[in-house]
Amino acid sequence: MTVTVACGDWSQTLTYDADNRPNVLRTVNVPLNTALQTEAVTVTVSHSEPTSVAQTYSIRINKLPPVETTVTTDPADATVFLTSNVNGQRILPGETGTYTLDTNGAYTLVVTRSGYVGQKLDVIAGEDSKNITVKLEKAPESSHNDILQPGDWPLFRADSNNNGVVSAPTPITAEDAVLVWANKVGEGYGASAASCPIIAGGYLYAYARDKLLKIDKDTGAVVGEGTMVTSSSFAINSPTYADGMIFVALSGGRIQAFDAESLESLWVYTDPLGGQPNCPIAYCDGYIYTGFWNSETKQANFAGISVTDEDPTQTQEAKLAAWTYTHNGFYWAGAYACENFVLVTTDDGDSGYTTGYGSVLSLDPKTGVLLDQLKATNVGDLRSSVCYDPATDAYYFTSKGGDLYQVRTNEDGTFVKGSLNRLHLDNGGNDDNTPPMSTSTPVIHNGRAYIGVSGVSQFGAYSGHNMTVVDLESFSIAYTVPTQGYPQTSGLLTTAYEDQDGYAYVYFFDNYTPGKLRVLRDKPGMTEVDHTYTTMETYNGDSGEVTIETGYVLFTPSGAQAQYAICSPIVDGEGNIYFKNDSAYMMRLSSRVTALEITRQPERTVYEIGETFDGAGMQVTALLANGMTRDVTDYVKFTAEPLTAEDTEITVSLDLTRLDIPGGPNWVFYQNRDGQTGQEWICPTGTVNIELKDGHVYGQPVWTWNDDFSAYAEFACTVNPRHEKLHLDAQVTSEITTGSSCLEGGVRTYTAKVVLDGVTYTDVRTQPIPADGHKLSAVAEVPAACTEGGVKAHWVCTVCGKLFSDADGKNETTLEALTIPATGHKTQLVGAKAATCTEDGYTGDEVCTVCGETIKKGEVIPALGHKTQLVGAKAATCTEDGYTGDEVCTVCGETVKKGDVIPAAGHHYEDGKCTVCGETDPNYKPDEPVQPENPGVKTGDEAHTALWLAAASVSLLAAAALLLGKKKHLS
């Protein structure tokens, strides 16, 4: 029974049978389209029985309105990688930069940038998460030293172009090629296998089992190890070096970073989809790029990862990828990475390699967004690195379907329309079921491409395997050269000899035991192999022995080193080739040493019979067949036997076995020679001429000085150091060569001299003269005065004039520090007098109480004058005198002006009363009333009354005047 779940273009089928019973719960995650408000999910249940009827169930999904979310980062150019927790798919922003999310949907947000500490956040889409701000912390400055040297080979194909083209003088004839060392560093070809090597900082780096290895490339000895968190799946790829770090791809979709010098672990990345680490690791501008592989039909991730060591205190911190891109899987798919884009090829997604179609992807290097993609125009997995050739400005890769592809890009990473070209390769089979597959990354040089191609039987000897030469101008096969095994890996091309013979030399390994290393030499215009540079090989075919012309065999691993070889050879700047094969031996093939020269003689060349040769001071240089030279002093040996009279020459030979390295490599040299493999090679020797003497020949003296500065010299015999030494007492003279001072000592130099056989020998010794010390004289204190400073008590050196604040001369001082500031005047007021009414005053003089000096003269204060008031004033009355009053000073009390007497005014009587004081007039007698003549006549009555009223009014006015006069007097 099958159950098919479908939604839009997506579907997944579950099969139920004896192994997958329907009573076991199985979960299907259905990816929804966030752009749609409603979607339908169908579940179709069917059975293989012919009479069964399939039933389809529909589920209609009505969605909540989406949440438009913005993500703001600091720094602004950080990479935002947002994925759904339901299906793991990446959510990309719209044209406005916002992300459309499902309401209440769960998401994972990763924000990274090279040089910063990445962050991973869980996001639930909703109102609270519509505006997300992420600020990254600056990572600590890198402490990893860049160790790269000229001639190093730091990654799979030597450089970022993935082209494997060098100018190193590699060996080009079997007679001139010698296996110098072979060191077994792993086991077999599984998880414990040895990886392909790289070169960084003058050392080889490889890995085997769970160890990262640092190997001395001159001796093959392992000089350092780092521990990996696990092994690699098959160790079919090399590590990668960049920015002072080594990166290794490990099983389970992991990448581990190490410090290149210490091999200490830095961080570990684990991909969420896991997979085998079957791709080389590319590097560009602070990021590494690599892909993983789960199976022929399952998808896997290609990842971009910042190399920043975000937490130097953690050796296995969990590293976040800047981004991942999911596709059919990536196997031997080494990326080409540059500032604007990353190119990588993919598997075809089908089993085998004769039905599905692989793709070449162009991805944004910082965000992982797909810039463009092209589907291959023929079937087959695309399993090679992408190689770039600047001369043709094109990119090249191969396929298991048997094709070489060429494509060009625009500056923005999109592919040039119509630029994808395909050339079908040839293995002689002409059968789509056994295509001329290739996983060999093309080597491009001088308008030619060089590729390893499989025969009709991948592991069948002489089945059509070949090295193919392609003319790029016509984009056609120029010619092919047969090989015993499939050259499954990539070639190494050197241009070192083009100026001599015009040829480029290209090196490939047969992936077939014994793993022969072949060389093809080629130049533009050739349409067939150079028949003078091939190897004739014979094998048993279906109808008997067959002899064919094959690619030139430079070297054949023999004995324990013979095995299948999935390894692309690498080379250092001196032309030494390094490789491994399934024997798990790491090996070095070098140019033959043509001579050993003694380029610096040893310190001793004169000996007595019976002594042994001493090589101290000697330098030995190897001359190589490729024209290079090497200082091999550390690797030579010579006789240790007692010298005889016939030993006038010492033979010096190259022998790595003299190195004391526990568990060291195999240093038995062998090569292909005279048509035979595994031929031991004997290194040429050098010669040191020595002289044997009987009698004394004295060398330089050894001097001995006594405590009293007497001395003697002893001369040893250079012919035989065991002879008694010659003792000569020396004549010693002395002189003061540096005089002493108060603080600094001087030097007395003693010179010893002896004469032997007319030759004068001298030696010197020095004796320090102590410092003289200060001669101090006390200086009494000079007190400070009002206007002049003083000086504190101190001591002065009568020799150097320095000043000190203590009698021991320990605390140096200065005159400025010793100066006592002037005290200044202390004044008081003298002669001050206040002014009086009649006499002047004085402000007083300011006089110093210490020195008596008048600092400031005073000023006269004018007399104040009297301030008077009237005293004793009294008004005169009718009977008593008055007084005008005295003018008296209110300040001093002096009577300034005497007053005058005011005579009594006397009474002023009217009608018997004083009009002033009211006193009764004692002499007053009122008048007798007069009777009117006509009392009955009223005429005149009114006039009398008016007169009375007038008199009364005058009296009242007089009284008022008197009262006013009194008030005025009193006031």
Side-chain angles (χ1 to χ4, degrees), residues 547-869:
T547 299
I548 62 170
E549 185 180 29
T550 67
Y552 181 75
V553 179
L554 181 73
F555 174 73
T556 303
S558 298
Q561 288 90 50
Q563 255 298 350
Y564 283 80
I566 300 184
C567 179
S568 301
I570 68 170
V571 65
D572 63 20
E574 298 168 341
N576 302 299
I577 298 174
Y578 303 89
F579 59 96
K580 67 96 180 189
N581 60 23
D582 287 355
S583 70
Y585 276 88
M586 196 67 63
M587 292 171 265
R588 166 171 157 170
L589 188 73
S590 300
S591 286
R592 173 178 60 90
V593 176
T594 59
L596 285 184
E597 286 190 356
I598 311 302
T599 47
R600 186 175 64 234
Q601 293 296 316
E603 295 172 359
R604 285 190 63 195
T605 57
V606 178
Y607 293 86
E608 185 181 12
I609 295 172
E611 289 187 277
T612 56
F613 176 73
D614 182 1
M618 178 175 62
Q619 183 183 56
V620 183
T621 301
L623 308 183
L624 307 178
N626 62 359
M628 303 290 286
T629 61
R630 281 296 309 277
D631 184 342
V632 293
T633 305
D634 292 339
Y635 312 127
V636 297
K637 70 174 183 178
F638 38 77
T639 180
E641 297 296 321
L643 298 173
T644 67
E646 289 76 26
D647 292 327
T648 58
E649 294 181 348
I650 300 297
T651 300
V652 178
S653 60
L654 187 63
D655 183 11
L656 294 179
T657 60
R658 69 182 290 267
L659 299 176
D660 183 18
I661 302 176
N666 176 1
W667 289 307
V668 176
F669 301 153
Y670 68 87
Q671 64 176 175
N672 290 14
R673 190 174 66 247
D674 301 328
Q676 301 296 316
T677 64
Q679 298 300 298
E680 184 179 1
W681 175 78
I682 305 300
C683 182
T685 59
T687 300
V688 177
N689 294 318
I690 63 173
E691 184 179 358
L692 294 171
K693 289 190 175 181
D694 187 11
H696 297 302
V697 176
Y698 293 108
Q700 292 296 312
V702 176
W703 292 89
T704 300
W705 288 82
N706 300 315
D707 294 340
D708 61 356
F709 285 94
S710 61
Y712 62 88
E714 288 186 328
F715 293 83
C717 178
T718 59
V719 175
N720 188 343
R722 292 188 295 272
H723 288 172
E724 184 178 352
K725 297 176 181 178
L726 177 64
H727 180 103
L728 294 177
D729 290 323
Q731 176 186 352
V732 179
T733 59
S734 72
E735 63 176 333
I736 295 176
T737 52
T738 303
S740 60
S741 64
C742 293
L743 293 177
E744 295 183 355
V747 177
R748 179 180 292 277
T749 301
Y750 294 85
T751 302
K753 180 178 74 173
V754 296
V755 179
L756 176 63
D757 297 332
V759 179
T760 299
Y761 299 91
T762 61
D763 193 38
V764 295
R765 284 292 183 273
T766 58
Q767 180 186 35
I769 301 172
D772 299 334
H774 295 295
K775 299 185 184 301
L776 299 181
S777 175
V779 178
E781 178 176 314
V782 177
C786 296
T787 58
E788 294 182 357
V791 180
K792 297 176 185 176
H794 60 281
W795 287 260
V796 60
C797 178
T798 59
V799 178
C800 66
K802 290 186 177 181
L803 305 177
F804 298 90
S805 62
D806 63 314
D808 295 329
K810 294 181 179 179
N811 301 312
E812 185 179 347
T813 185
T814 64
L815 185 59
E816 180 181 2
L818 293 170
T819 298
I820 303 171
T823 59
H825 293 296
K826 297 181 181 178
T827 61
Q828 66 179 7
L829 204 61
V830 176
K833 183 178 71 169
T836 66
C837 297
T838 58
E839 293 183 357
D840 292 339
Y842 192 67
T843 59
D845 298 331
E846 292 181 11
V847 179
C848 179
T849 61
V850 177
C851 66
E853 181 182 345
T854 298
I855 306 303
K856 182 179 179 182
K857 293 291 288 180
E859 294 178 352
V860 173
I861 304 171
L864 301 174
H866 294 297
K867 294 181 181 179
T868 62
Q869 67 177 3

Side-chain angles (χ1 to χ4, degrees), residues 898-958:
K898 295 292 287 182
D900 295 323
V901 173
I902 303 170
H907 294 293
H908 181 264
Y909 297 112
E910 285 185 12
D911 296 328
K913 291 284 184 182
C914 180
T915 59
V916 177
C917 64
E919 180 75 24
T920 302
D921 183 355
N923 299 316
Y924 176 71
K925 290 182 179 181
D927 293 333
E928 289 293 328
V930 178
Q931 291 296 323
E933 294 181 357
N934 295 307
V937 182
K938 294 183 178 181
T939 305
D941 288 346
E942 289 83 356
H944 179 79
T945 302
L947 179 64
W948 183 87
L949 290 173
S953 298
V954 170
S955 299
L956 288 172
L957 287 171

Side-chain angles (χ1 to χ4, degrees), residues 64-114:
L64 294 171
V67 178
E68 298 297 328
T69 300
T70 61
V71 180
T72 304
T73 66
D74 182 6
D77 61 347
T79 298
V80 175
F81 190 70
L82 182 65
T83 56
S84 167
N85 290 359
V86 174
N87 53 29
Q89 291 185 351
R90 182 176 187 178
I91 311 299
L92 292 173
E95 293 182 357
T96 62
T98 61
Y99 297 82
T100 302
L101 307 181
D102 292 329
T103 300
N104 299 326
Y107 299 86
T108 298
L109 174 65
V110 174
V111 180
T112 59
R113 190 190 185 281
S114 176

